[in-house]
Amino acid sequence: RWSLRCTATGAEPRVRLKRFFSSLYAALTRGARAVLQFYPETPKQAEMITMAAMRAGFSGGLVVDYPNSTRAKKFFLTLMAGPPAEMPKPKGLDGSDEEDSDDGKGVKVEGRRREGRQGG
């Protein structure tokens, strides 16, 4: 919110956003990712922040968690430094069951037995 407030005359939020995203882009290596959480007061502010990041050279987009809630709604700006890359699909939206998919990334535990408690 600090980047959108005008505290002095002539202080433009767009200039501050441009400076912030340009410095962030310069600090990140090509292919690096950043996620920023923010709470815009209006949809226009969310659009202004997103567009400032895209103009600085980032690719990515806006993710809204709990979009139907007024109190729990969270905005995440997901940024990737460099050219646009294919975004990974969110789990559960590709039509497959999470438990049935075996992509080789999980840990498989077989043949483990748990000792029972010996109590008295």
Side-chain angles (χ1 to χ4, degrees):
R1 293 179 184 204
W2 59 268
S3 61
L4 298 175
R5 300 257 187 239
C6 291
T7 55
T9 54
E12 281 289 318
R14 292 183 203 282
V15 173
R16 278 186 275 184
L17 287 170
K18 179 181 178 183
R19 190 177 322 128
F20 171 74
F21 285 116
S22 296
S23 332
L24 181 62
Y25 189 83
L28 296 175
T29 60
R30 187 174 204 92
R33 297 176 183 191
V35 178
L36 308 172
Q37 182 178 0
F38 65 102
Y39 299 95
E41 294 176 355
T42 65
K44 184 179 178 184
Q45 285 182 350
E47 183 180 345
M48 182 173 29
I49 292 170
T50 305
M51 291 308 297
M54 300 304 138
R55 284 189 191 110
F58 285 104
S59 59
L62 192 63
V63 177
V64 181
D65 195 14
Y66 302 110
N68 297 325
S69 173
T70 54
R71 302 191 106 218
K73 188 184 295 188
K74 297 177 184 177
F75 291 84
F76 298 94
L77 185 61
T78 58
L79 303 174
M80 288 174 274
E86 184 176 329
M87 294 286 290
K89 291 183 180 178
K91 291 185 178 181
L93 293 182
D94 58 359
S96 67
D97 190 11
E98 286 183 42
E99 294 178 14
D100 291 340
S101 66
D102 185 20
D103 57 2
K105 295 180 183 175
V107 176
K108 193 171 187 178
V109 179
E110 291 182 3
R112 288 182 65 184
R113 279 187 280 182
R114 188 172 170 179
E115 297 285 329
R117 273 186 134 173
Q118 303 291 328

Short mmCIF file of all heavy atoms in Angstrom, two decimals, residues 62-116:
data_model
loop_
_atom_site.label_atom_id
_atom_site.label_comp_id
_atom_site.label_asym_id
_atom_site.label_seq_id
_atom_site.Cartn_x
_atom_site.Cartn_y
_atom_site.Cartn_z
N LEU A 62 -1.52 -12.64 -11.94
CA LEU A 62 -2.14 -12.43 -10.64
C LEU A 62 -2.91 -13.67 -10.23
O LEU A 62 -3.69 -14.21 -11.02
CB LEU A 62 -3.08 -11.22 -10.74
CG LEU A 62 -3.63 -10.64 -9.45
CD1 LEU A 62 -2.50 -10.10 -8.58
CD2 LEU A 62 -4.61 -9.54 -9.76
N VAL A 63 -2.69 -14.13 -9.01
CA VAL A 63 -3.41 -15.27 -8.45
C VAL A 63 -4.22 -14.75 -7.27
O VAL A 63 -3.68 -14.05 -6.41
CB VAL A 63 -2.44 -16.38 -7.97
CG1 VAL A 63 -3.20 -17.51 -7.32
CG2 VAL A 63 -1.61 -16.88 -9.13
N VAL A 64 -5.50 -15.08 -7.24
CA VAL A 64 -6.37 -14.63 -6.15
C VAL A 64 -6.81 -15.85 -5.34
O VAL A 64 -7.41 -16.77 -5.88
CB VAL A 64 -7.61 -13.88 -6.69
CG1 VAL A 64 -8.47 -13.39 -5.54
CG2 VAL A 64 -7.18 -12.71 -7.56
N ASP A 65 -6.46 -15.85 -4.07
CA ASP A 65 -6.84 -16.93 -3.17
C ASP A 65 -8.14 -16.52 -2.47
O ASP A 65 -8.27 -15.38 -2.04
CB ASP A 65 -5.73 -17.15 -2.14
CG ASP A 65 -5.87 -18.46 -1.41
OD1 ASP A 65 -6.64 -19.32 -1.87
OD2 ASP A 65 -5.19 -18.63 -0.38
N TYR A 66 -9.07 -17.41 -2.37
CA TYR A 66 -10.41 -17.15 -1.82
C TYR A 66 -11.08 -15.98 -2.56
O TYR A 66 -11.40 -14.95 -1.96
CB TYR A 66 -10.36 -16.86 -0.32
CG TYR A 66 -9.76 -17.95 0.50
CD1 TYR A 66 -8.51 -17.80 1.11
CD2 TYR A 66 -10.43 -19.15 0.69
CE1 TYR A 66 -7.96 -18.81 1.86
CE2 TYR A 66 -9.89 -20.16 1.44
CZ TYR A 66 -8.65 -19.99 2.03
OH TYR A 66 -8.10 -20.99 2.78
N PRO A 67 -11.29 -16.11 -3.86
CA PRO A 67 -11.82 -14.98 -4.63
C PRO A 67 -13.24 -14.57 -4.26
O PRO A 67 -13.63 -13.43 -4.50
CB PRO A 67 -11.76 -15.48 -6.08
CG PRO A 67 -11.77 -16.95 -5.97
CD PRO A 67 -11.09 -17.29 -4.68
N ASN A 68 -14.01 -15.47 -3.68
CA ASN A 68 -15.41 -15.15 -3.34
C ASN A 68 -15.57 -14.57 -1.94
O ASN A 68 -16.67 -14.19 -1.56
CB ASN A 68 -16.29 -16.39 -3.49
CG ASN A 68 -16.30 -16.88 -4.92
OD1 ASN A 68 -16.26 -16.08 -5.86
ND2 ASN A 68 -16.35 -18.18 -5.11
N SER A 69 -14.50 -14.51 -1.19
CA SER A 69 -14.56 -13.99 0.17
C SER A 69 -14.15 -12.51 0.18
O SER A 69 -13.24 -12.11 -0.52
CB SER A 69 -13.62 -14.78 1.08
OG SER A 69 -13.55 -14.19 2.35
N THR A 70 -14.83 -11.74 1.00
CA THR A 70 -14.46 -10.33 1.10
C THR A 70 -13.36 -10.12 2.14
O THR A 70 -12.52 -9.24 2.00
CB THR A 70 -15.67 -9.46 1.49
OG1 THR A 70 -16.24 -9.97 2.68
CG2 THR A 70 -16.69 -9.44 0.37
N ARG A 71 -13.34 -10.94 3.18
CA ARG A 71 -12.36 -10.77 4.25
C ARG A 71 -11.09 -11.59 4.04
O ARG A 71 -10.00 -11.17 4.40
CB ARG A 71 -12.96 -11.12 5.60
CG ARG A 71 -14.20 -10.26 5.90
CD ARG A 71 -14.63 -10.42 7.32
NE ARG A 71 -14.25 -9.20 7.99
CZ ARG A 71 -13.78 -9.14 9.21
NH1 ARG A 71 -13.64 -10.22 9.91
NH2 ARG A 71 -13.47 -7.99 9.75
N ALA A 72 -11.21 -12.79 3.48
CA ALA A 72 -10.06 -13.69 3.37
C ALA A 72 -9.38 -13.62 2.01
O ALA A 72 -8.41 -14.33 1.77
CB ALA A 72 -10.51 -15.12 3.64
N LYS A 73 -9.83 -12.75 1.12
CA LYS A 73 -9.27 -12.66 -0.23
C LYS A 73 -7.82 -12.19 -0.16
O LYS A 73 -7.49 -11.23 0.52
CB LYS A 73 -10.08 -11.69 -1.07
CG LYS A 73 -9.68 -11.70 -2.53
CD LYS A 73 -10.44 -10.67 -3.33
CE LYS A 73 -11.91 -10.98 -3.37
NZ LYS A 73 -12.64 -10.10 -4.28
N LYS A 74 -6.94 -12.94 -0.86
CA LYS A 74 -5.52 -12.59 -0.90
C LYS A 74 -5.08 -12.52 -2.35
O LYS A 74 -5.46 -13.36 -3.16
CB LYS A 74 -4.69 -13.65 -0.17
CG LYS A 74 -5.00 -13.75 1.29
CD LYS A 74 -4.18 -14.84 1.92
CE LYS A 74 -4.59 -15.01 3.37
NZ LYS A 74 -3.87 -16.10 4.00
N PHE A 75 -4.26 -11.54 -2.67
CA PHE A 75 -3.73 -11.36 -4.01
C PHE A 75 -2.25 -11.68 -4.01
O PHE A 75 -1.50 -11.20 -3.16
CB PHE A 75 -3.93 -9.90 -4.47
CG PHE A 75 -5.35 -9.54 -4.72
CD1 PHE A 75 -6.18 -9.15 -3.67
CD2 PHE A 75 -5.88 -9.58 -5.99
CE1 PHE A 75 -7.49 -8.81 -3.89
CE2 PHE A 75 -7.21 -9.23 -6.22
CZ PHE A 75 -8.02 -8.86 -5.16
N PHE A 76 -1.83 -12.50 -4.97
CA PHE A 76 -0.43 -12.86 -5.13
C PHE A 76 -0.01 -12.52 -6.56
O PHE A 76 -0.62 -12.99 -7.51
CB PHE A 76 -0.21 -14.36 -4.89
CG PHE A 76 -0.56 -14.80 -3.51
CD1 PHE A 76 -1.81 -15.31 -3.22
CD2 PHE A 76 0.37 -14.71 -2.49
CE1 PHE A 76 -2.14 -15.73 -1.95
CE2 PHE A 76 0.06 -15.13 -1.21
CZ PHE A 76 -1.20 -15.65 -0.93
N LEU A 77 1.02 -11.72 -6.69
CA LEU A 77 1.57 -11.39 -7.99
C LEU A 77 2.75 -12.34 -8.21
O LEU A 77 3.75 -12.27 -7.51
CB LEU A 77 2.03 -9.94 -8.03
CG LEU A 77 2.54 -9.42 -9.36
CD1 LEU A 77 1.46 -9.50 -10.43
CD2 LEU A 77 3.03 -7.99 -9.22
N THR A 78 2.59 -13.27 -9.14
CA THR A 78 3.64 -14.24 -9.43
C THR A 78 4.44 -13.73 -10.62
O THR A 78 3.88 -13.45 -11.69
CB THR A 78 3.05 -15.62 -9.76
OG1 THR A 78 2.17 -15.51 -10.87
CG2 THR A 78 2.27 -16.16 -8.58
N LEU A 79 5.73 -13.56 -10.42
CA LEU A 79 6.59 -12.96 -11.43
C LEU A 79 7.72 -13.91 -11.81
O LEU A 79 8.26 -14.61 -10.96
CB LEU A 79 7.19 -11.66 -10.90
CG LEU A 79 6.21 -10.60 -10.43
CD1 LEU A 79 6.95 -9.44 -9.79
CD2 LEU A 79 5.36 -10.12 -11.59
N MET A 80 8.08 -13.90 -13.08
CA MET A 80 9.24 -14.63 -13.58
C MET A 80 10.10 -13.67 -14.37
O MET A 80 9.59 -12.97 -15.25
CB MET A 80 8.79 -15.79 -14.46
CG MET A 80 8.17 -16.92 -13.66
SD MET A 80 7.49 -18.20 -14.71
CE MET A 80 5.86 -17.53 -15.00
N ALA A 81 11.37 -13.63 -14.04
CA ALA A 81 12.29 -12.74 -14.74
C ALA A 81 12.65 -13.35 -16.09
O ALA A 81 13.08 -14.49 -16.15
CB ALA A 81 13.54 -12.50 -13.91
N GLY A 82 12.44 -12.61 -17.13
CA GLY A 82 12.77 -13.11 -18.45
C GLY A 82 11.53 -13.36 -19.29
O GLY A 82 10.43 -12.93 -18.94
N PRO A 83 11.72 -14.09 -20.38
CA PRO A 83 10.60 -14.32 -21.29
C PRO A 83 9.54 -15.22 -20.67
O PRO A 83 9.84 -15.98 -19.74
CB PRO A 83 11.25 -15.00 -22.50
CG PRO A 83 12.49 -15.62 -21.96
CD PRO A 83 12.94 -14.72 -20.84
N PRO A 84 8.33 -15.17 -21.18
CA PRO A 84 7.26 -16.01 -20.62
C PRO A 84 7.60 -17.49 -20.75
O PRO A 84 8.10 -17.95 -21.76
CB PRO A 84 6.04 -15.67 -21.48
CG PRO A 84 6.38 -14.44 -22.21
CD PRO A 84 7.87 -14.33 -22.26
N ALA A 85 7.31 -18.21 -19.69
CA ALA A 85 7.50 -19.66 -19.69
C ALA A 85 6.15 -20.31 -19.41
O ALA A 85 5.21 -19.65 -18.97
CB ALA A 85 8.50 -20.05 -18.60
N GLU A 86 6.06 -21.58 -19.68
CA GLU A 86 4.80 -22.27 -19.44
C GLU A 86 4.56 -22.37 -17.93
O GLU A 86 5.43 -22.82 -17.19
CB GLU A 86 4.84 -23.67 -20.04
CG GLU A 86 3.52 -24.39 -19.91
CD GLU A 86 3.55 -25.74 -20.60
OE1 GLU A 86 4.26 -25.88 -21.60
OE2 GLU A 86 2.84 -26.63 -20.11
N MET A 87 3.41 -21.92 -17.51
CA MET A 87 3.06 -21.96 -16.09
C MET A 87 2.62 -23.37 -15.71
O MET A 87 1.89 -24.00 -16.46
CB MET A 87 1.92 -20.99 -15.78
CG MET A 87 2.28 -19.54 -15.96
SD MET A 87 3.32 -18.93 -14.66
CE MET A 87 2.19 -18.94 -13.31
N PRO A 88 3.05 -23.86 -14.55
CA PRO A 88 2.58 -25.17 -14.12
C PRO A 88 1.10 -25.11 -13.77
O PRO A 88 0.61 -24.08 -13.29
CB PRO A 88 3.42 -25.47 -12.88
CG PRO A 88 3.94 -24.16 -12.43
CD PRO A 88 4.00 -23.27 -13.64
N LYS A 89 0.38 -26.21 -14.03
CA LYS A 89 -1.04 -26.25 -13.74
C LYS A 89 -1.24 -26.47 -12.24
O LYS A 89 -0.51 -27.24 -11.62
CB LYS A 89 -1.71 -27.37 -14.50
CG LYS A 89 -1.77 -27.14 -15.98
CD LYS A 89 -2.52 -28.24 -16.66
CE LYS A 89 -2.56 -27.99 -18.15
NZ LYS A 89 -3.25 -29.06 -18.86
N PRO A 90 -2.23 -25.81 -11.66
CA PRO A 90 -2.53 -26.05 -10.25
C PRO A 90 -2.99 -27.49 -10.05
O PRO A 90 -3.64 -28.07 -10.91
CB PRO A 90 -3.67 -25.08 -9.95
CG PRO A 90 -3.62 -24.07 -11.03
CD PRO A 90 -3.04 -24.76 -12.22
N LYS A 91 -2.64 -28.06 -8.91
CA LYS A 91 -3.04 -29.43 -8.62
C LYS A 91 -4.55 -29.51 -8.52
O LYS A 91 -5.19 -28.64 -7.95
CB LYS A 91 -2.41 -29.91 -7.32
CG LYS A 91 -0.92 -30.09 -7.42
CD LYS A 91 -0.36 -30.67 -6.16
CE LYS A 91 1.12 -30.89 -6.32
NZ LYS A 91 1.70 -31.48 -5.11
N GLY A 92 -5.10 -30.57 -9.08
CA GLY A 92 -6.53 -30.80 -9.01
C GLY A 92 -7.31 -30.22 -10.17
O GLY A 92 -8.49 -30.50 -10.32
N LEU A 93 -6.69 -29.38 -11.00
CA LEU A 93 -7.41 -28.78 -12.12
C LEU A 93 -7.16 -29.48 -13.44
O LEU A 93 -7.77 -29.15 -14.44
CB LEU A 93 -7.03 -27.31 -12.27
CG LEU A 93 -7.49 -26.40 -11.14
CD1 LEU A 93 -7.08 -24.96 -11.45
CD2 LEU A 93 -8.98 -26.48 -10.92
N ASP A 94 -6.24 -30.45 -13.45
CA ASP A 94 -5.95 -31.13 -14.71
C ASP A 94 -6.81 -32.36 -14.93
O ASP A 94 -6.64 -33.08 -15.89
CB ASP A 94 -4.47 -31.50 -14.78
CG ASP A 94 -4.03 -32.39 -13.63
OD1 ASP A 94 -4.86 -32.70 -12.76
OD2 ASP A 94 -2.84 -32.77 -13.61
N GLY A 95 -7.74 -32.64 -14.02
CA GLY A 95 -8.67 -33.75 -14.20
C GLY A 95 -8.20 -35.07 -13.63
O GLY A 95 -8.93 -36.04 -13.60
N SER A 96 -6.96 -35.12 -13.17
CA SER A 96 -6.48 -36.37 -12.59
C SER A 96 -6.56 -36.32 -11.08
O SER A 96 -6.57 -35.25 -10.48
CB SER A 96 -5.04 -36.63 -13.03
OG SER A 96 -4.18 -35.66 -12.45
N ASP A 97 -6.59 -37.49 -10.48
CA ASP A 97 -6.63 -37.58 -9.03
C ASP A 97 -5.21 -37.46 -8.50
O ASP A 97 -4.31 -38.12 -8.98
CB ASP A 97 -7.25 -38.92 -8.62
CG ASP A 97 -7.55 -38.99 -7.14
OD1 ASP A 97 -7.48 -37.92 -6.49
OD2 ASP A 97 -7.86 -40.08 -6.64
N GLU A 98 -5.00 -36.60 -7.50
CA GLU A 98 -3.66 -36.37 -6.98
C GLU A 98 -3.03 -37.65 -6.44
O GLU A 98 -1.85 -37.89 -6.61
CB GLU A 98 -3.71 -35.33 -5.85
CG GLU A 98 -3.91 -33.93 -6.33
CD GLU A 98 -3.87 -32.96 -5.18
OE1 GLU A 98 -3.00 -33.11 -4.31
OE2 GLU A 98 -4.71 -32.06 -5.14
N GLU A 99 -3.81 -38.49 -5.78
CA GLU A 99 -3.26 -39.68 -5.15
C GLU A 99 -2.90 -40.74 -6.18
O GLU A 99 -2.01 -41.55 -5.96
CB GLU A 99 -4.24 -40.24 -4.14
CG GLU A 99 -4.45 -39.31 -2.96
CD GLU A 99 -5.47 -39.85 -1.98
OE1 GLU A 99 -5.82 -41.03 -2.08
OE2 GLU A 99 -5.91 -39.08 -1.13
N ASP A 100 -3.61 -40.77 -7.31
CA ASP A 100 -3.36 -41.79 -8.32
C ASP A 100 -2.19 -41.43 -9.23
O ASP A 100 -1.61 -42.31 -9.86
CB ASP A 100 -4.60 -42.01 -9.19
CG ASP A 100 -5.72 -42.67 -8.39
OD1 ASP A 100 -5.41 -43.27 -7.34
OD2 ASP A 100 -6.88 -42.58 -8.82
N SER A 101 -1.82 -40.19 -9.29
CA SER A 101 -0.75 -39.81 -10.21
C SER A 101 0.60 -40.13 -9.59
O SER A 101 0.87 -39.85 -8.43
CB SER A 101 -0.83 -38.31 -10.53
OG SER A 101 -0.56 -37.56 -9.38
N ASP A 102 1.46 -40.75 -10.39
CA ASP A 102 2.79 -41.09 -9.94
C ASP A 102 3.77 -40.41 -10.88
O ASP A 102 4.11 -40.91 -11.94
CB ASP A 102 3.00 -42.61 -9.96
CG ASP A 102 4.35 -43.01 -9.38
OD1 ASP A 102 4.94 -42.18 -8.66
OD2 ASP A 102 4.81 -44.13 -9.67
N ASP A 103 4.20 -39.21 -10.47
CA ASP A 103 5.11 -38.45 -11.32
C ASP A 103 6.56 -38.66 -10.95
O ASP A 103 7.45 -38.03 -11.49
CB ASP A 103 4.76 -36.96 -11.29
CG ASP A 103 4.78 -36.39 -9.88
OD1 ASP A 103 5.12 -37.13 -8.93
OD2 ASP A 103 4.48 -35.20 -9.73
N GLY A 104 6.81 -39.56 -9.99
CA GLY A 104 8.18 -39.85 -9.60
C GLY A 104 8.77 -38.85 -8.63
O GLY A 104 9.91 -38.97 -8.22
N LYS A 105 8.03 -37.84 -8.25
CA LYS A 105 8.55 -36.82 -7.36
C LYS A 105 8.21 -37.09 -5.90
O LYS A 105 8.78 -36.49 -5.02
CB LYS A 105 8.00 -35.45 -7.75
CG LYS A 105 8.46 -34.99 -9.11
CD LYS A 105 7.89 -33.64 -9.43
CE LYS A 105 8.29 -33.21 -10.83
NZ LYS A 105 7.65 -31.97 -11.22
N GLY A 106 7.27 -37.98 -5.66
CA GLY A 106 6.85 -38.25 -4.29
C GLY A 106 7.74 -39.29 -3.62
O GLY A 106 8.63 -39.87 -4.22
N VAL A 107 7.51 -39.49 -2.36
CA VAL A 107 8.24 -40.49 -1.59
C VAL A 107 7.35 -41.69 -1.43
O VAL A 107 6.21 -41.58 -1.00
CB VAL A 107 8.64 -39.93 -0.21
CG1 VAL A 107 9.32 -40.99 0.62
CG2 VAL A 107 9.51 -38.71 -0.37
N LYS A 108 7.87 -42.84 -1.77
CA LYS A 108 7.10 -44.07 -1.67
C LYS A 108 7.66 -44.89 -0.52
O LYS A 108 8.85 -45.19 -0.48
CB LYS A 108 7.18 -44.85 -2.99
CG LYS A 108 6.20 -45.96 -3.08
CD LYS A 108 6.20 -46.53 -4.48
CE LYS A 108 5.09 -47.53 -4.63
NZ LYS A 108 5.04 -48.08 -5.97
N VAL A 109 6.79 -45.24 0.40
CA VAL A 109 7.22 -46.02 1.56
C VAL A 109 6.47 -47.33 1.55
O VAL A 109 5.24 -47.36 1.52
CB VAL A 109 6.92 -45.25 2.88
CG1 VAL A 109 7.33 -46.06 4.07
CG2 VAL A 109 7.60 -43.90 2.87
N GLU A 110 7.22 -48.42 1.53
CA GLU A 110 6.62 -49.75 1.53
C GLU A 110 7.25 -50.60 2.62
O GLU A 110 8.43 -50.45 2.93
CB GLU A 110 6.84 -50.44 0.18
CG GLU A 110 6.06 -49.81 -0.94
CD GLU A 110 6.27 -50.55 -2.24
OE1 GLU A 110 6.97 -51.58 -2.25
OE2 GLU A 110 5.73 -50.10 -3.25
N GLY A 111 6.46 -51.52 3.14
CA GLY A 111 6.98 -52.51 4.06
C GLY A 111 7.40 -51.98 5.42
O GLY A 111 8.16 -52.63 6.12
N ARG A 112 6.93 -50.82 5.79
CA ARG A 112 7.25 -50.29 7.12
C ARG A 112 6.20 -50.74 8.10
O ARG A 112 5.02 -50.67 7.84
CB ARG A 112 7.31 -48.77 7.09
CG ARG A 112 8.52 -48.26 6.38
CD ARG A 112 8.59 -46.77 6.40
NE ARG A 112 8.75 -46.29 7.77
CZ ARG A 112 8.76 -45.00 8.10
NH1 ARG A 112 8.62 -44.10 7.18
NH2 ARG A 112 8.91 -44.63 9.34
N ARG A 113 6.65 -51.21 9.23
CA ARG A 113 5.72 -51.56 10.29
C ARG A 113 6.00 -50.69 11.49
O ARG A 113 7.14 -50.36 11.79
CB ARG A 113 5.90 -53.03 10.69
CG ARG A 113 5.18 -53.95 9.74
CD ARG A 113 5.25 -55.31 10.29
NE ARG A 113 6.59 -55.79 9.90
CZ ARG A 113 7.04 -56.98 10.17
NH1 ARG A 113 6.32 -57.83 10.83
NH2 ARG A 113 8.23 -57.36 9.78
N ARG A 114 4.95 -50.36 12.16
CA ARG A 114 5.06 -49.55 13.35
C ARG A 114 4.92 -50.44 14.57
O ARG A 114 3.97 -51.19 14.67
CB ARG A 114 3.99 -48.47 13.35
CG ARG A 114 4.14 -47.48 14.43
CD ARG A 114 3.18 -46.36 14.23
NE ARG A 114 3.17 -45.53 15.41
CZ ARG A 114 2.46 -44.47 15.55
NH1 ARG A 114 1.67 -44.10 14.59
NH2 ARG A 114 2.50 -43.77 16.65
N GLU A 115 5.88 -50.34 15.45
CA GLU A 115 5.85 -51.14 16.68
C GLU A 115 4.72 -50.65 17.57
O GLU A 115 4.47 -49.45 17.69
CB GLU A 115 7.18 -51.00 17.44
CG GLU A 115 8.36 -51.52 16.68
CD GLU A 115 8.41 -53.04 16.67
OE1 GLU A 115 7.94 -53.65 17.66
OE2 GLU A 115 8.92 -53.60 15.70
N GLY A 116 4.00 -51.58 18.17
CA GLY A 116 2.93 -51.21 19.10
C GLY A 116 3.50 -50.73 20.41
O GLY A 116 4.63 -51.03 20.77
#
